[in-house]
Amino acid sequence: MILSFLAVPAWLLAMNINLDLTLPAIIGAVLVVVYLFIDKQPKTKITHRKRQAVKTHRLLDHDRAGFMRHLRLDAKTVIFDGSNIYYYGHDKGYDAVPLGMLINQLRNEGYRIVCFFDANIYYTLSEHGAFPKSEDHSWALLQDIFGLEPLEIYVMPGGVQADQFILDALKYLPVSFAVTNDQYRDYTARYPTVMRDNRWRKGVVISTTEVQLLHHKLQKQLLLN
């Protein structure tokens, strides 16, 4: 590049232009200085930052219906451990009836319902005769069997237990409680603010005549038969 700068005074000499010989020398010297000054300037290195993927909470990652992100923090919400209460009802000989009764009653009392099920709920219901084994698994089955609305159902992905998801939901929804007979003792240290008193969960008792929700006075008695 420096040769291109020196070419200017050389061209003037070659063309025998009537200029003082010192002028081309001065021009050449100035151009050399300018070139050296520019060449020594720090060069800005252009780097392209990689766009980092935005991480979302697992509650949102596995929410197939996409309703969890729209839950209002100031709305009173009931988080059902659906599989837990269903198994209890089945053991008592009532299958899905107790869970369905509690869902319907608490919804009528103004609570927002979120019902978590383990991934094997469809196979369990099929084994218990709730629907034919040949029938396709769909949320419509859960809606029909338990009386749920589409945006109240959260089915866990395979190999993932609902326990931590239920506790996460309780943690981020301050006006909420869980309906479950599981006390989640293994998670006490991880969720101290959730389990700080006995109001965070309501157990269920099924007798021969009615379904009761402990630590909560239902506005209507849930009678069986």
Side-chain angles (χ1 to χ4, degrees):
M1 186 174 180
I2 190 169
L3 294 177
S4 62
F5 288 125
L6 294 176
V8 176
W11 176 78
L12 292 173
L13 291 173
M15 295 300 294
N16 196 24
I17 296 177
N18 189 20
L19 292 173
D20 189 277
L21 292 177
T22 59
L23 181 59
I26 293 172
I27 295 174
V30 171
L31 292 176
V32 170
V33 171
V34 171
Y35 167 75
L36 292 175
F37 175 78
I38 294 174
D39 189 58
K40 295 299 182 182
Q41 293 302 303
K43 295 179 175 60
T44 303
K45 186 178 180 180
I46 300 175
T47 58
H48 298 281
R49 294 183 179 179
K50 293 182 179 180
R51 296 183 64 183
Q52 295 182 348
V54 178
K55 292 184 178 180
T56 56
H57 195 276
R58 58 188 168 192
L59 275 171
L60 305 182
D61 288 340
H62 301 291
D63 177 16
R64 301 175 193 175
F67 70 91
M68 290 295 292
R69 67 180 67 249
H70 301 299
L71 294 179
R72 291 181 51 171
L73 298 180
D74 61 344
K76 57 182 186 178
T77 306
V78 179
I79 311 297
F80 277 91
D81 188 345
S83 294
N84 177 270
I85 301 303
Y86 168 72
Y87 279 119
Y88 179 45
H90 175 73
D91 291 342
K92 288 291 186 177
Y94 293 102
D95 288 317
V97 173
L99 177 56
M101 293 175 72
L102 286 166
I103 288 170
N104 183 64
Q105 180 58 35
L106 289 170
R107 188 193 295 119
N108 289 340
E109 292 184 13
Y111 287 92
R112 179 73 165 84
I113 304 298
V114 179
C115 192
F116 286 87
F117 291 103
D118 292 329
N120 65 352
I121 185 62
Y122 294 108
Y123 299 98
T124 301
L125 290 169
S126 178
E127 289 294 327
H128 293 170
F131 59 86
K133 293 183 179 180
S134 59
E135 191 164 348
D136 292 335
H137 298 170
S138 68
W139 286 359
L141 291 172
L142 302 180
Q143 291 174 239
D144 183 58
I145 293 170
F146 297 106
L148 286 160
E149 300 294 334
L151 298 184
E152 296 176 342
I153 301 170
Y154 197 119
V155 179
M156 301 303 302
V160 180
Q161 288 187 327
D163 298 3
Q164 292 186 56
F165 283 68
I166 291 170
L167 292 168
D168 279 340
L170 291 170
K171 178 180 178 180
Y172 293 109
L173 296 171
V175 191
S176 64
F177 63 84
V179 174
T180 179
N181 284 338
D182 192 338
Q183 297 186 24
Y184 306 120
R185 290 191 177 95
D186 294 340
Y187 300 98
T188 303
R190 294 182 59 181
Y191 296 91
T193 58
V194 172
M195 303 181 182
R196 62 188 170 193
D197 53 42
N198 62 356
R199 292 178 295 176
W200 68 274
R201 60 174 290 276
K202 318 293 183 185
V204 177
V205 174
I206 301 173
S207 67
T208 56
T209 58
E210 68 177 311
V211 178
Q212 294 177 304
L213 189 60
L214 301 178
H215 308 297
H216 182 88
K217 185 174 178 58
L218 295 170
Q219 296 176 5
K220 177 184 176 182
Q221 193 175 12
L222 303 182
L223 298 176
L224 293 165
N225 302 326

